[in-house]
Amino acid sequence: MQLEPRGMDQVRRLVDKGVDIPNPWTLDIGPEVNVERISGNGVTIHPGCRIRGASTVISAGVELGREGPVTIEDVRLGPNVALKGGYAAKATFLQGANLGLGHHVREGTLLEEEASGAHCVGLKQTILFPFVTLGSLINFCDAFMAGGTSRSDHSEIGSSYIHFNFTPSGDKTTPSLFGDVPRGVLLRQRPIFLGGQGGAVGPVEVAYGTVVGAGSVIRRDVLTEDTLTLVGAPPSMNRPFAADDYRNLVRVLAKNVGYLAQLNALEQWYRHVRVHFFATQELGPLVAEGAHEVISAARKERCSRLGKLVAKLPGRDQTQMVVRDRLEDLIEVVRHNETPPDMQVVESFAATAEAGVGYLEAIRGLSDEQVAAVRSWLGAVVAEAWSDAAVIVPELGRYRTQE
């Protein structure tokens, strides 16, 4: 007697809902998966796929496994997402996002509308704004990227690019910002181009309009917009190395505070604005819940990594002692600030969403006054985090001034 594969009853229910499953006997669905969180509208699941996790959501038009088997675990997929072959867990993909064969996506990853990657892309604690495009053979973890206005005018990362996010001291307090949230959400900034076979040693900040030549490894901030950057090979050296030498502590701390401040702005944007557009989509509120979870996970990761670094500080100078003694206070003030939005702008977004206008179209239709209001509001969220942090660690205020 031939036994049925695990989850066959759920497979039947999906087929009855209208999900296209060409070879049902090859589909592995965990018993915890709720089929009510899987749309029956235009969803295709190709042979060999595995679906796991009670939180998993699959929206209308999603296609899984076109190029090879896909495994998803507690992943939220918005409309028309395409995962062509690979693995993803505890991540959220918004409308039209897609990744090619061999992708490996882990916790804290959010791909917004039409963000994409080719084959063999590794992401973790990564946030990509709409249209950001990744080539092949890329490892881009612990980073945020925005920029561009459309599918034909987008920020891009060339093939064989690495964001170096682990130090010889064993630290991962290395989040990098390629663009920012207050301007990035408005889809009006010049794209960022990171040339192939290159990299960035986190934490760094890169301004909109930056073009980094192929083969370049960025080790310093690029803060001037519309800059062409070519980085040569570093000079040869052979000198003593001390793994616990944290002379650049203030810089590292500032980069993490800055990243947390951007996450604050993003969380406020989702809470007050994006929520209205999710509400109009089938399963949209569940996808929105996933986006909030990603932002929360990103904040938790940054705080955790800071805590692990500070625990190793030898306390050799006053700054190290202040940071070590007051880290919890610092984290508390940075991650819990909120600047009230312009309610006229929020109400306008709500009305636009209720009228059936999509998110990207709504952003493109903003007036100059509305654009200025959004930038002012989200910019104030970021500035407040910096101001509160500088009260706890005064050196942060001086560092910000010197940038």
Side-chain angles (χ1 to χ4, degrees):
M1 180 179 177
Q2 188 173 9
L3 297 177
E4 286 189 344
R6 185 179 74 159
M8 200 61 190
D9 180 62
Q10 291 163 298
V11 172
R12 289 193 185 95
R13 291 172 63 190
L14 291 177
V15 171
D16 290 343
K17 291 179 69 172
V19 177
D20 181 11
I21 306 176
N23 193 338
W25 280 67
T26 69
L27 183 58
D28 180 7
I29 300 183
E32 73 284 359
V33 174
N34 183 353
V35 298
E36 297 304 316
R37 299 165 71 99
I38 300 176
S39 173
N41 182 15
V43 173
T44 301
I45 306 176
H46 292 282
C49 291
R50 302 175 180 89
I51 301 174
R52 299 169 182 155
S55 298
T56 289
V57 175
I58 301 177
S59 299
V62 166
E63 184 175 24
L64 300 179
R66 184 177 182 84
E67 297 177 353
V70 165
T71 297
I72 57 174
E73 299 181 358
D74 290 313
V75 170
R76 319 282 184 118
L77 305 178
N80 303 315
V81 169
L83 300 182
K84 300 174 184 177
Y87 172 82
K90 298 181 180 179
T92 296
F93 299 77
L94 303 189
Q95 185 165 4
N98 65 91
L99 290 174
L101 182 66
H103 62 263
H104 193 263
V105 178
R106 290 174 285 168
E107 182 179 10
T109 296
L110 171 63
L111 270 63
E112 292 195 340
E113 287 82 358
E114 299 182 41
S116 65
H119 68 273
C120 298
V121 170
L123 306 174
K124 179 175 68 67
Q125 298 294 334
T126 306
I127 298 175
L128 304 180
F129 266 18
F131 315 121
V132 173
T133 301
L134 283 63
S136 303
L137 307 174
I138 287 173
N139 189 309
F140 197 69
C141 302
D142 295 285
F144 163 90
M145 191 172 197
T149 61
S150 68
R151 284 301 309 149
S152 59
D153 176 50
H154 55 77
S155 290
E156 181 154 352
I157 303 176
S159 296
S160 301
Y161 197 90
I162 298 176
H163 179 244
F164 296 98
N165 64 329
F166 191 79
T167 73
S169 303
D171 303 316
K172 294 189 76 174
T173 47
T174 51
S176 290
L177 291 168
F178 299 85
D180 60 44
V181 171
R183 291 180 296 165
V185 298
L186 295 164
L187 304 180
R188 285 162 168 78
Q189 298 303 308
R190 292 275 297 150
I192 297 168
F193 182 86
L194 305 178
Q197 293 207 338
V201 180
V204 294
E205 295 180 47
V206 175
Y208 288 116
T210 297
V211 175
V212 181
S216 298
V217 177
I218 301 172
R219 290 177 168 84
R220 295 182 177 86
D221 296 341
V222 182
L223 300 178
T224 302
E225 295 188 2
D226 301 317
T227 298
L228 172 63
T229 298
L230 299 171
V231 182
S236 299
M237 68 171 64
N238 186 8
R239 67 183 188 186
F241 171 74
D244 62 347
D245 186 350
Y246 290 101
R247 286 176 292 180
N248 292 323
L249 174 63
V250 174
R251 177 183 180 274
V252 171
L253 189 63
K255 295 304 182 190
N256 282 266
V257 167
Y259 201 90
L260 283 165
Q262 297 294 326
L263 291 176
N264 289 348
L266 185 59
E267 193 275 335
Q268 295 301 311
W269 181 248
Y270 269 79
R271 180 190 299 180
H272 295 289
V273 173
R274 296 215 55 157
V275 61
H276 302 294
F277 296 91
F278 287 113
T280 63
Q281 299 175 357
E282 178 194 16
L283 303 176
L286 295 176
V287 176
E289 185 180 86
H292 281 285
E293 288 177 356
V294 166
I295 297 169
S296 178
R299 183 183 286 112
K300 182 179 179 181
E301 173 74 1
R302 300 279 60 93
C303 295
S304 173
R305 295 297 179 179
L306 271 176
K308 290 178 181 179
L309 179 145
V310 170
K312 298 192 297 183
L313 294 178
R316 292 172 179 161
D317 57 42
Q318 184 65 28
T319 299
Q320 288 188 11
M321 289 189 288
V322 169
V323 172
R324 190 174 60 186
D325 293 341
R326 304 205 63 188
L327 179 64
E328 290 186 6
D329 295 335
L330 177 66
I331 289 175
E332 187 70 17
V333 299
V334 170
R335 69 181 179 180
H336 286 129
N337 66 66
E338 178 175 353
T339 300
D342 184 322
M343 291 310 300
Q344 286 187 332
V345 173
V346 171
E347 291 167 1
S348 175
F349 274 117
T352 300
E354 189 173 351
V357 178
Y359 173 73
L360 296 180
E361 185 180 353
I363 296 299
R364 293 186 178 112
L366 292 175
S367 67
D368 291 344
E369 292 77 12
Q370 289 172 320
V371 167
V374 169
R375 287 185 59 172
S376 176
W377 162 40
L378 296 181
V381 174
V382 173
E384 182 181 346
W386 273 105
S387 176
D388 291 346
V391 172
I392 305 298
V393 182
E395 286 81 356
L396 289 173
R398 290 192 285 272
Y399 176 89
R400 190 68 172 169
T401 303
Q402 294 167 2
E403 279 191 299

